[in-house]
């Protein structure tokens, strides 16, 4: 697709974000009076907890409304470093290596733009979040999608990388995964880190969903590895998901010194840092222990919703293949065998939203249109009603 009109070749692969488009379409239909349940958006339905909200408001009243330091306010970088350290058993995390940005989406962009360029191939396990290939293209590098194994929760391993992306200069890995909810184990993460050291490749580890994990503790992380594995790792994290702070737009990257410096320089010419009041709100989110109780409560709620979705699909649509969700808040299921076969994820979603008023994201957005993504970051009652409609719709497909 092209935007045409003599625009720059920088945009030759650019498409509007399909996940954003689905949720905007659902909002439009709702505003027009339609009874639409939106299980498209990957956005927590919870309000931002009171402590960070109040800290943001206080920052405004205290006049913290000027340009922030470009890399982020020190208090936020320190709180973020302490937080990551606590999640990984107290390992040292250097706050100087943190660059705060306007959402982790910008952190991902900064990292890709600083590390990759024309001629570079970046491996992306597929299915993948819609923005990864786009961001890599914007850096003029080439995303190489490496399909995951259905038998293995659609995850990839180092052998897959060596086979499918032998000369890759980078790997963009998401765990817990959007769109599948799969989680890479400690051993799998270690093997990728070893691969990067051997191949002198970079790993961008998107761990934005790390706290939303249904196993014990936070999901395994690159930060659980010793320093010698981290020389070529850029870790991406943020406040949006676990703290229900999507609209505050605070994310950050933790990277080796040279990369940190480059990302900060890039950002000094683009945004001059993230909104200062939002940074103070995020500092309270990462830094105040009481907020952890809110996070635990929200994760417990996500877990109940996950169990509801999994048990109902298993019971009411037996035979439908899905990835067992171990983290994040997505349920990724296969639709191509429904109704006698041949239906695509795009068809399924289009018909479901027009006939039944339920918005889901077609797998095409993530590189495989045999599948569909359901986000259970929505009220339980809405999920239940949506499941009634999805089951009824799926059973009638092909009639
Ligand atoms: N990474 C993944 C995997 C995501 O799903 C999202 C969701 N928007 C982001 C990064 C970006 O989040 P944000 O910019 O809100 O931090
Ligand atoms: N990450 C979320 C999703 O996948 C929010 C939308 C977006 O940023 O793409 O739905």
């Amino acid at each position: 697709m092209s935007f045409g009109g003599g625009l720059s070749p920088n945009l030759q692969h650019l498409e509007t974000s399909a996940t954003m488009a689905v949720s905007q379409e659902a909002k439009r239909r709702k505003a027009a009076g339609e009874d639409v349940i939106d299980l498209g958006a990957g956005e927590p339905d919870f309000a931002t907890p009171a402590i960070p909200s109040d800290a943001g408001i206080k920052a405004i009243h205290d006049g913290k409304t000027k340009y922030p330091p470009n890399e982020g306010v020190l208090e936020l970088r320190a709180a973020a470093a302490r937080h990551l350290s606590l999640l990984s058993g107290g390992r040292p995390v250097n706050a100087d290596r943190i660059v705060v940005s306007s959402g982790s989406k910008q952190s991902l962009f900064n990292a890709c733009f600083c590390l990759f360029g024309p001629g570079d191939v970046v491996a992306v396990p597929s299915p993948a979040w819609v923005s990864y290939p786009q961001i890599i293209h914007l850096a003029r590098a080439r995303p190489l999608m490496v399909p995951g194994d259905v038998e293995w929760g659609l995850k990839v391993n180092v052998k897959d990388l060596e086979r499918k992306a032998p000369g890759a200069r980078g790997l963009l890995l998401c765990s817990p995964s959007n769109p599948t909810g799969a989680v890479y184990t400690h051993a799998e993460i270690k093997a990728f880190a070893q691969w990067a050291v051997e191949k002198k490749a970079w790993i961008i580890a998107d761990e934005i969903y790390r706290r939303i994990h249904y196993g014990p503790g936070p999901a395994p992380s690159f930060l659980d590895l010793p320093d010698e594995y981290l020389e070529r790792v850029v870790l991406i994290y943020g406040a949006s998901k676990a703290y229900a702070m999507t609209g505050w737009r605070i994310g950050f990257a933790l990277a080796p010194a040279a990369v940190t410096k480059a990302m900060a320089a890039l950002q000094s010419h683009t945004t001059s840092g993230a909104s200062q009041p939002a940074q103070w709100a995020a500092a309270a989110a990462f830094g105040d222990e009481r907020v952890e109780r809110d996070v635990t409560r929200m994760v417990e709620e996500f877990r109940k919703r996950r169990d509801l979705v999994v048990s109902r699909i298993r019971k009411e649509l037996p035979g439908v293949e899905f990835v067992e969700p171990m983290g994040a808040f997505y349920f990724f299921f296969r639709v191509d065998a429904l109704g006698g076969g041949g239906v695509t994820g795009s068809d399924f979603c289009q018909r479901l939203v027009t006939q039944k008023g339920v918005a889901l994201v077609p797998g095409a957005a993530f590189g495989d249109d045999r599948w569909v993504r359901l986000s259970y970051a929505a009220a339980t009652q809405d999920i239940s009603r949506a499941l009634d409609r999805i089951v009824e719709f799926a059973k009638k497909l092909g009639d």
Side-chain angles (χ1 to χ4, degrees):
M1 186 201 141
S2 151
F3 283 89
L7 299 178
S8 158
N10 288 342
L11 308 185
Q12 61 186 309
H13 298 280
L14 189 66
E15 289 178 22
T16 305
S17 163
T19 46
M20 292 298 206
V22 167
S23 89
Q24 273 163 24
E25 170 68 7
K27 284 194 181 96
R28 190 192 62 74
R29 285 174 183 266
K30 264 193 215 167
E34 285 182 44
D35 170 22
V36 171
I37 307 169
D38 182 9
L39 303 188
E43 175 167 48
D45 56 314
F46 302 113
T48 299
I51 290 172
S53 297
D54 291 343
I57 294 164
K58 184 170 183 307
I60 294 171
H61 287 306
D62 289 351
K64 289 171 175 153
T65 51
K66 307 287 189 204
Y67 284 127
N70 172 53
E71 302 82 356
V73 301
L74 277 176
E75 287 79 352
L76 170 55
R77 294 162 75 211
R82 240 185 351 259
H83 175 78
L84 290 182
S85 165
L86 284 175
L87 290 186
S88 287
R91 65 124 51 231
V93 175
N94 187 345
D96 285 341
R97 302 277 171 84
I98 286 179
V99 178
V100 176
S101 295
S102 301
S104 64
K105 212 180 254 188
Q106 193 198 357
S107 309
L108 283 161
F109 178 85
N110 285 347
C112 287
F113 205 79
C114 290
L115 293 174
F116 310 125
D120 290 336
V121 166
V122 183
V124 184
S126 165
W129 179 45
V130 63
S131 292
Y132 292 157
Q134 290 284 323
I135 291 172
I136 294 165
H137 276 308
L138 287 172
R140 298 278 195 114
R142 185 162 71 86
L144 200 148
M145 309 314 281
V146 181
D149 185 347
V150 183
E151 302 300 320
W152 205 239
L154 291 171
K155 293 195 285 186
V156 307
N157 58 34
V158 168
K159 280 206 184 90
D160 297 321
L161 285 187
E162 282 169 348
R163 225 176 305 125
K164 300 266 167 53
R169 188 167 152 73
L171 165 70
L172 210 173
L173 190 79
C174 183
S175 179
S177 159
N178 179 2
T180 65
V183 173
Y184 283 85
T185 64
H186 180 73
E188 288 165 337
I189 286 173
K190 189 169 171 192
F192 285 128
Q194 250 157 350
W195 168 86
V197 171
E198 275 162 30
K199 305 280 178 197
K200 296 198 170 21
W202 288 99
I203 292 182
I204 299 181
D206 185 347
E207 298 188 358
I208 183 87
Y209 294 101
R210 184 170 180 210
R211 291 285 277 107
I212 307 172
H213 181 228
Y214 308 119
S221 163
F222 279 87
L223 279 186
D224 300 332
L225 301 173
D227 281 350
E228 61 265 29
Y229 288 97
L230 300 180
E231 279 159 24
R232 306 189 70 88
V233 174
V234 178
L235 190 117
I236 306 291
Y237 200 72
S240 285
K241 309 292 177 174
Y243 297 92
M245 290 180 70
T246 45
W248 297 81
R249 310 304 306 125
I250 297 295
F252 63 86
L254 172 72
V259 186
T260 312
K261 236 166 126 183
M263 291 191 301
L266 171 63
Q267 178 162 292
S268 76
H269 296 297
T270 53
T271 58
S272 302
S275 155
Q276 170 141 212
Q279 292 199 45
W280 287 98
F286 293 126
D288 190 318
E289 273 173 27
R290 291 168 299 170
V291 185
E292 285 307 300
R293 284 202 287 272
D294 295 308
V295 174
T296 306
R297 180 180 48 79
M298 292 189 274
V299 173
E300 268 319 298
E301 199 53 46
F302 288 137
R303 181 199 299 277
K304 284 187 203 146
R305 296 167 181 183
R306 173 198 71 150
D307 292 346
L308 172 73
V309 175
V310 169
S311 68
R312 282 200 57 185
I313 295 287
R314 212 171 245 151
K315 196 157 119 225
E316 296 172 45
L317 291 175
V320 165
E321 197 168 2
F322 61 86
V323 178
E324 190 79 41
M326 290 304 296
F329 34 59
Y330 303 111
F331 179 76
F332 203 58
F333 64 104
R334 197 160 166 174
V335 295
D336 61 325
L338 288 169
V343 67
T344 64
S346 301
D347 276 350
F348 184 94
C349 292
Q350 185 56 39
R351 283 156 66 186
L352 182 69
V353 76
T354 39
Q355 293 172 24
K356 295 282 180 191
V358 176
L360 304 179
V361 183
F366 312 108
D368 190 338
D369 210 21
R370 294 172 299 176
W371 300 74
V372 162
R373 188 191 81 176
L374 177 157
S375 159
Y376 49 89
T380 307
Q381 205 188 357
D382 285 344
I383 297 171
S384 287
R385 285 196 306 132
L387 284 169
D388 293 343
R389 297 181 191 185
I390 292 168
V391 168
E392 196 186 1
F393 172 78
K395 281 187 170 157
K396 289 220 172 104
L397 263 179
D399 278 1

